Amino acid sequence: MSGPETTGRKQVHLAAQLPGIHNVTVWSDPRSRSQIAFESFRHLARTAERGRFDFFFLAEGLRLREHKGQLYDLDVVGRPENLTQLSALAAVTTRLGLAATVNATFNEPYEVARRLATLDHLSGGRAAWNVVTSFDAFTGENFRRGGFLAESDRYARAAEFLATARELWDSWAEGDVRADAAAGAFVRPGAGRFAHHGEHFAISGRFTTPRPPQGHPVVIQAGESGPGREFAAAEADVVFSKYNRLDEARAFYRDVKSRLARYGRTPDQLKILPTATVVVADSDAEAAAYADEITRAQVSPQTAIAHLEAVWGRDLSGYDPDGPLPDIDPEPDAQMLKGHSLFRRDRDEIARGWRALAEERRLSIRDLVIEVSGGQTFVGAPGTVADAIDHFVQTGGADGFVLVPHLTPGGLDDFVDRVVPLLQEKGVFRRDYTGPTLRDHLGLRHEPAPAPVPKEAP
């Protein structure tokens, strides 16, 4: 039987995301369960672990979105805080990585480093941090900041935030916890000492949490801009990508991987994982019909109008979602949908592109929003889906995928039961975990401990 060690082919990396902050989740489906209850999170995480996925990911927003001044509840509104939820999942999983979005604009390095180090200890080395920044004063109002940082400053703060967190993790060396009863010494006297003085942070003291099992939790990043790609090449272990069309994905993959050398890194030290959806059925035709049904549930008539209003900056509630686009110009400075990053920039350009596409294809408002939303990524019978995923990875489009199911919590059951075994038969996906930590799953080195420091007197 062929396997990863004999085929010589690239291995597919898979992760799962519990959706909810975008319209991917069809919470109105009768098969959908609670978006808050721990059982929903546990079911999806255990399914991912049964499928030998690398990690389970929870995104997070720091303010509830508002549409025309009201809560935008076409998407899921409200979720438990993600590091707390992942800490609970650490107790009911044994190998699955646990990844959380934690914002570097409205948090502080000490508290974030401590919480992530704690999760890494609780899970035996399975923690990951998706480093994000916030772009708007709307979110900042929750934190009394009175404004927000320019994009270049946000990345500068994020880079220093991450560097500071790493200094805190490195403030404990291997062997600092001595627990020497004969000598009456529990830790080395200098353990946890740190001092950081930079543009954004000036802190010093003693870090409370011993060195994490992985050395550093895995760092994830999702920047699409030039500065974001450069930050990923310099600092990240994993990059989330929105590009799941093969031509666009290959271009992004080549660009980001080509930046690694100037930071002394090799291509295998950074995994690029686009987000993707999967629809599996007994036949390709059945899957295609089901995929269309799912897409139209995700982009309801109300969602289509809301997305159009977000770009146009106007109240378009009087327009028929199954009719043509409005013949009025956008108001680019008006905000109808606050807290939604998809529509925060280049709205005039987006509107022109949407209008041209609608005219060319004779699309209604709803059909246009479905078209630009991308639909489902991998659709077909199990063999069709397995072949498509393998082809995407082998031809340089990605190192794997973050799968985002439309149903909570059973949306990955069919994929794990029917597609994963085929990827294993191809020899491109593990049959079992080969190590206990997330760095093991991703083929990344464990961050080495800092050099020993001179002995410090008690």
Side-chain angles (χ1 to χ4, degrees):
M1 180 181 296
S2 65
E5 68 283 354
T6 62
T7 62
R9 305 174 71 202
K10 286 179 62 178
Q11 293 300 291
V12 175
H13 292 275
L14 294 175
Q17 177 184 350
L18 185 71
I21 61 170
H22 294 300
N23 61 302
V24 173
T25 301
V26 185
W27 57 261
S28 58
D29 190 293
R31 295 164 296 176
S32 182
R33 297 294 180 261
S34 174
Q35 308 294 319
I36 299 171
F38 178 66
E39 177 54 37
S40 292
F41 293 79
R42 178 169 57 183
H43 180 104
L44 188 55
R46 283 182 162 174
T47 300
E49 185 166 73
R50 179 164 57 84
R52 304 301 188 260
F53 282 34
D54 289 355
F55 61 88
F56 176 74
F57 168 60
L58 294 179
E60 184 167 73
L62 293 181
R63 179 159 182 177
L64 299 180
R65 292 168 178 166
E66 294 183 9
H67 180 231
K68 301 178 183 178
Q70 302 297 318
L71 287 180
Y72 185 69
D73 60 356
L74 293 174
D75 299 351
V76 171
V77 172
R79 273 277 172 77
E81 192 273 331
N82 53 14
L83 279 174
T84 305
Q85 192 72 257
L86 292 176
S87 295
L89 290 174
V92 296
T93 56
T94 59
R95 289 291 183 266
L96 185 69
L98 304 167
T101 291
V102 183
N103 194 291
T105 304
F106 299 116
N107 280 294
E108 297 298 324
Y110 186 93
E111 61 182 353
V112 170
R114 187 182 187 210
R115 291 162 68 200
L116 285 163
T118 299
L119 178 60
D120 210 48
H121 279 288
L122 286 174
S123 63
R126 296 186 279 138
W129 172 20
N130 179 36
V131 185
V132 301
T133 63
S134 284
F135 66 91
D136 62 344
F138 176 73
T139 298
E141 289 172 359
N142 273 358
F143 298 88
R144 300 182 181 271
R145 286 284 173 91
F148 61 101
L149 296 170
E151 185 158 19
S152 59
D153 292 333
R154 288 191 288 114
Y155 279 113
R157 177 185 165 92
E160 187 178 339
F161 193 116
L162 177 57
T164 306
R166 285 171 168 159
E167 290 173 25
L168 294 169
W169 295 325
D170 285 345
S171 67
W172 287 76
E174 303 289 353
D176 272 359
V177 179
R178 296 171 58 187
D180 186 341
F186 189 75
V187 299
R188 181 183 63 82
R193 188 183 297 281
F194 69 89
H196 176 92
H197 300 283
E199 179 182 355
H200 294 275
F201 309 105
I203 58 175
S204 61
R206 297 267 191 167
F207 189 53
T208 61
T209 312
R211 185 171 181 79
Q214 295 184 105
H216 298 166
V218 168
V219 171
I220 303 171
Q221 206 266 340
E224 300 292 342
S225 65
R229 295 182 187 203
E230 205 65 26
F231 179 61
E235 304 291 352
D237 300 306
V238 175
V239 175
F240 289 157
S241 164
K242 67 179 182 181
Y243 300 110
N244 48 37
R245 280 183 45 182
L246 187 53
D247 55 344
E248 295 176 340
R250 284 172 175 164
F252 178 81
Y253 190 90
R254 287 193 302 267
D255 178 69
V256 175
K257 295 272 186 171
S258 71
R259 299 172 188 247
L260 292 167
R262 53 179 170 261
Y263 299 101
R265 306 180 69 195
T266 57
D268 62 325
Q269 291 178 301
L270 178 68
K271 308 302 180 187
I272 296 179
L273 306 180
T275 56
T277 57
V278 177
V279 179
V280 182
D282 290 339
S283 70
D284 290 353
E286 184 181 346
Y290 185 31
D292 182 67
E293 177 186 329
I294 294 168
T295 299
R296 299 193 76 78
Q298 290 169 330
V299 183
S300 66
Q302 298 91 335
T303 295
I305 293 295
H307 281 206
L308 200 70
E309 289 176 334
V311 175
W312 255 250
R314 292 176 177 271
D315 184 343
L316 303 175
S317 56
Y319 285 81
D320 180 1
D322 293 318
L325 265 65
D327 57 2
I328 55 177
D329 293 328
E331 292 186 6
D333 295 329
Q335 277 193 300
M336 302 295 289
L337 182 56
K338 293 183 177 181
H340 203 311
S341 62
L342 293 178
F343 308 110
R344 71 184 180 92
R345 63 170 73 187
D346 302 327
R347 283 164 46 198
D348 273 337
E349 183 178 345
I350 292 173
R352 285 193 295 271
W354 284 15
R355 192 182 296 282
L357 179 61
E359 291 175 356
E360 176 189 350
R361 302 271 299 276
R362 297 186 178 183
L363 298 174
S364 69
I365 291 172
R366 189 181 183 193
D367 288 337
L368 171 70
V369 174
I370 287 172
E371 181 69 22
V372 299
S373 298
Q376 311 307 317
T377 312
F378 298 110
V379 178
T384 301
V385 171
D387 288 346
I389 289 174
D390 185 34
H391 177 71
F392 205 109
V393 171
Q394 303 305 329
T395 57
D399 293 306
F401 295 93
V402 180
L403 301 184
V404 188
H406 75 285
L407 286 179
T408 302
L412 282 181
D413 292 359
D414 280 349
F415 181 86
V416 167
D417 291 337
R418 306 181 70 183
V419 179
V420 165
L422 300 181
L423 293 172
Q424 291 168 335
E425 288 178 11
K426 289 174 176 287
V428 298
F429 191 70
R430 67 172 70 89
R431 291 185 179 274
D432 205 350
Y433 293 110
T434 56
T437 74
L438 178 52
R439 288 186 175 274
D440 292 327
H441 308 341
L442 293 167
L444 303 171
R445 71 170 189 171
H446 286 229
E447 288 299 318
V453 297
K455 185 177 180 180
E456 181 179 318

